[in-house]
Amino acid sequence: MKTLSCIFLLSLFCGQAHSLEESSFCKALVPGEYILPAEDGTWTWCMAPIYDEKGKLHIFNSVIPKKGSWIKHSKIVHWVADQPEGPYTFVEDLFSSDDASYHNPQVSMAGDTYVLVFLLNRYRDANGSKQEVGMATAKSLDGPWTESPLNPVIPASGEMNGCQIVHASNPTFVVTPEGKYRIYYKSMTDKLPLKKGFREISFAESDQIEGPYVNYEANPVISYADQQVDIEDPYAFFYEGMYYMIVEDRRGVQNLLEGNPIPADQIRNGGYRPGLIYKSKDGINWGVPEIGYQTNEIYFGDKLARSERPNILWKDGKPECLFLACHDEDPTAGYFLKIKNWNVE
């Protein structure tokens, strides 16, 4: 099976490249506010928002000591508010350990169970800082939360395209129309050394929330690794009969697909460019992306910074806000955008 990137490379050679369209989702986004400032000595990152049964807003996000590293010292904390604008009240350090880093959470509800997936880095174990996918579940957003006994539910091991998986992180959880459970995640293999490798998007599936999760045999489902560009931070969801995935364009995939690739030595890694949104009937074949969201510079007139980690806040079954982490000089975790009258096409 040819990956999307290979198909598009052929189209570029055939002169069929064209500008990516701005999606109807992107057109529906309205600037909100920057939220969740960090305490002195720490920095905050990413926001996984969800309402409880009574309409209280809960956010789970990462907090990292400035003297430490997210690879070893990140923890997941819990906040509550009455509305996206806040004010926010700190609840607790939800997952914190001297032996592991808990990072990049995403929260969903499946039936009567809340599901939190996250990057789990047990850096003191035999893997030696292999980023993997962890999961915790609860019947209430107020807890108690229980880590899966199968953690990491998606380990950084196994085979993919004849190479060994060496990285599995930044997960997003989806319930399929058939009642199965999928975790899409950022994957990397040993085809290249880890620091020189390129991120791909893969998924694993299970018949039960807690797993075990089995990797899709034809992973990755989105890859531009052969062209030395990539995306990351997938947020996947099923809505109005279609799968969607919003991602950070980390290395200029838009430029590649438009037939004007950025020279490798000039690429600025990270979310310094608009994000992308993909659409799929089966969650496997993702087709041509469109522009999914713009930059902080466009929305707020601020100095261009990395807008990453997209997460949607849902209300009554409809998307209400898009939350984005922002790596700028401001101490907040990031900002949210209101989703107004999204015309699903």
Side-chain angles (χ1 to χ4, degrees):
M1 176 184 293
K2 291 183 178 179
T3 63
L4 178 64
S5 58
C6 293
I7 293 172
F8 254 96
L9 185 61
L10 291 175
S11 73
L12 295 181
F13 289 153
C14 295
Q16 298 175 3
H18 56 84
S19 297
L20 298 190
E21 295 182 5
E22 185 180 34
S23 67
S24 60
F25 180 85
C26 184
K27 292 176 181 177
L29 298 176
V30 177
E33 297 181 12
Y34 287 84
I35 58 172
L36 291 177
E39 294 183 356
D40 290 343
T42 69
W43 63 282
T44 53
W45 181 247
C46 74
M47 296 163 287
I50 191 170
Y51 287 112
D52 65 19
E53 298 87 343
K54 297 180 179 179
K56 178 73 74 173
L57 175 58
H58 297 248
I59 282 185
F60 303 91
N61 77 305
S62 305
V63 172
I64 306 98
K66 285 187 175 180
K67 293 184 178 180
S69 163
W70 69 263
I71 296 175
K72 294 184 177 181
H73 307 115
S74 179
K75 61 183 178 181
I76 294 175
V77 304
H78 181 191
W79 307 82
V80 294
D82 292 324
Q83 58 185 354
E85 293 82 359
Y88 284 87
T89 300
F90 178 78
V91 178
E92 62 179 335
D93 288 346
L94 188 61
F95 290 113
S96 177
S97 171
D98 292 332
D99 299 316
S101 182
Y102 293 84
H103 195 58
N104 284 354
Q106 189 263 316
V107 65
S108 306
M109 191 171 191
D112 64 350
T113 302
Y114 291 100
V115 182
L116 191 73
V117 290
F118 45 84
L119 183 162
L120 177 63
N121 185 20
R122 292 175 172 168
Y123 63 91
R124 295 186 189 273
D125 69 8
N127 281 337
S129 283
K130 268 194 176 179
Q131 295 172 39
E132 301 177 301
V133 174
M135 172 185 284
T137 57
K139 296 300 182 181
S140 167
L141 289 170
D142 295 316
W145 288 87
T146 303
E147 280 199 69
S148 170
L150 299 178
N151 275 351
V153 293
I154 303 179
S157 62
E159 187 175 306
M160 185 184 298
N161 276 343
C163 301
Q164 292 299 306
I165 301 170
V166 295
H167 185 109
S169 70
N170 297 6
T172 177
F173 178 87
V174 180
V175 182
T176 74
E178 298 79 20
K180 294 183 180 293
Y181 306 98
R182 284 185 185 176
I183 298 176
Y184 291 88
Y185 65 97
K186 177 181 79 178
S187 61
M188 298 176 71
T189 70
D190 64 358
K191 184 176 182 179
L192 292 172
L194 189 59
K195 290 187 178 181
K196 295 183 179 181
F198 299 98
R199 289 112 166 104
E200 302 171 307
I201 305 299
S202 299
F203 79 88
E205 191 171 83
S206 176
D207 293 326
Q208 304 176 81
I209 291 176
E210 62 271 19
Y213 282 83
V214 178
N215 272 314
Y216 176 57
E217 61 183 6
N219 275 337
V221 291
I222 306 178
S223 175
Y224 306 93
D226 289 343
Q227 287 73 58
Q228 299 186 16
V229 295
D230 58 23
I231 55 178
E232 67 173 354
D233 287 351
Y235 178 83
F237 59 99
F238 187 82
Y239 184 61
E240 298 290 336
M242 296 290 289
Y243 288 90
Y244 293 86
M245 188 185 299
I246 308 172
V247 302
E248 168 207 330
D249 184 356
R250 179 176 174 270
R251 283 180 57 85
V253 166
Q254 177 184 354
N255 304 80
L256 172 74
L257 299 183
E258 291 181 340
N260 186 32
I262 304 171
D265 61 353
Q266 296 179 25
I267 295 176
R268 192 180 186 189
N269 291 342
Y272 291 107
R273 51 193 63 84
L276 304 175
I277 186 168
Y278 294 79
K279 187 165 61 173
S280 170
K281 292 182 178 179
D282 57 10
I284 297 172
N285 300 289
W286 288 93
V288 182
E290 296 180 321
I291 304 303
Y293 59 86
Q294 299 292 345
T295 65
N296 69 313
E297 184 179 43
I298 296 296
Y299 291 122
F300 300 100
D302 297 330
K303 181 180 177 181
L304 179 64
R306 287 164 41 198
S307 293
E308 303 177 358
R309 299 294 306 150
N311 272 274
I312 286 179
L313 173 63
W314 296 83
K315 187 172 186 178
D316 300 326
K318 296 182 178 181
E320 182 183 51
C321 297
L322 177 69
F323 283 70
L324 289 160
C326 191
H327 200 293
D328 56 7
E329 296 178 358
D330 187 275
T332 53
Y335 58 88
F336 69 88
L337 307 167
K338 296 179 181 180
I339 303 171
K340 296 289 189 180
N341 302 318
W342 177 25
N343 180 24
V344 179
E345 298 174 351

